[in-house]
Amino acid sequence: QVQLVESGGGLVQSGGSLTLSCAASRRTFSPYARGWFRQAPGKEREFVAQITRAGSTNYADSVKSRFTISKDNAKNTVFLQMNSLKPEDTAVYYCAGRGIVTSPWDYWGQGTQVSVSS
């Protein structure tokens, strides 16, 4: 299976910005959708954003207007631009993929820590 490699996590102050990247190990990797999830300590993993092969996007209500998911098809890389960060955005962020429209999210990255200080 394809490997997803994340980068870009770190520490940022409230109101700041951070961009996460997720590169696929296969140049031919073209799933139905790629996206981002996050998990805060003691909480369930939650959906953040996704972008389909066709380019349509969806966002969790908590991040709409602040986060933007995009992709670079040539580099087979997905990005998550996070603006106006809040302390509640602090979590481990995971890159994910789903092969076909009816499949679960079955491709996962290792996770990258995002910490937002108040």
Side-chain angles (χ1 to χ4, degrees), residues 9-16 18 20 37-46 48 62-63 66-67 80 82-94 112-118:
L11 175 64
V12 64
Q13 66 182 22
S14 182
L18 199 63
L20 306 182
F37 288 72
R38 67 186 183 186
Q39 186 170 24
K43 293 188 175 182
E44 294 282 292
R45 185 173 299 182
E46 65 176 354
V48 175
S62 60
V63 305
R66 297 190 299 119
F67 290 12
L80 184 67
M82 304 182 291
N83 299 319
S84 301
L85 283 163
K86 307 173 181 179
E88 51 262 45
D89 294 318
T90 295
V92 175
Y93 283 69
Y94 296 90
T112 185
Q113 178 70 49
V114 172
S115 299
V116 184
S117 61
S118 59

Side-chain angles (χ1 to χ4, degrees), residues 89-113:
D89 294 318
T90 295
V92 175
Y93 283 69
Y94 296 90
C95 178
R98 60 196 309 176
I100 58 177
V101 67
T102 57
S103 73
W105 292 91
D106 49 2
Y107 300 95
W108 294 92
Q110 76 283 3
T112 185
Q113 178 70 49

Side-chain angles (χ1 to χ4, degrees), residues 38-61:
R38 67 186 183 186
Q39 186 170 24
K43 293 188 175 182
E44 294 282 292
R45 185 173 299 182
E46 65 176 354
F47 170 80
V48 175
Q50 77 162 26
I51 184 166
T52 68
R53 185 165 53 238
S56 63
T57 59
N58 292 94
Y59 298 91
D61 288 341

